[in-house]
Amino acid sequence: MKDITKKYTNGQMTIVWKPSLCQHSTICWRRTTGLPQVFNPAIKPWINPLGATTEEMIVQVKKCPSGALSFFMNAEE
Ligand code: SF4
């Protein structure tokens, strides 16, 4: 897969997703381990950065085992 980087922002922070790194672990979107209101592969775009608080999304992004998900605070860019 090409080295694509997608970004999704809520204005305060930006979630960065690199599909080539994603191992499809399902951790981010499974109901028991993830934030399905933010990460939902059944719809496009599959990341809705307005689905949870910034704090909740930061915690979830840090659980991604592959490094496909990362984030930055917009003010820091
Ligand atoms: S947690 Fe990371 S590796 Fe797993 S499905 Fe989500 S983005 Fe892909």
Side-chain angles (χ1 to χ4, degrees), residues 13-32:
M13 56 95 76
T14 299
I15 296 174
V16 181
W17 185 57
K18 295 188 175 183
S20 62
L21 296 179
C22 179
Q23 298 169 341
H24 306 286
S25 67
T26 77
I27 288 172
C28 61
W29 56 264
R30 211 183 318 152
R31 191 164 296 278
T32 51

Side-chain angles (χ1 to χ4, degrees), residues 51-66:
T53 66
T54 293
E55 290 73 23
E56 288 171 323
M57 292 191 290
I58 288 172
V59 168
Q60 189 64 49
V61 164
K62 287 180 175 177
K63 292 179 183 172
C64 174
S66 67

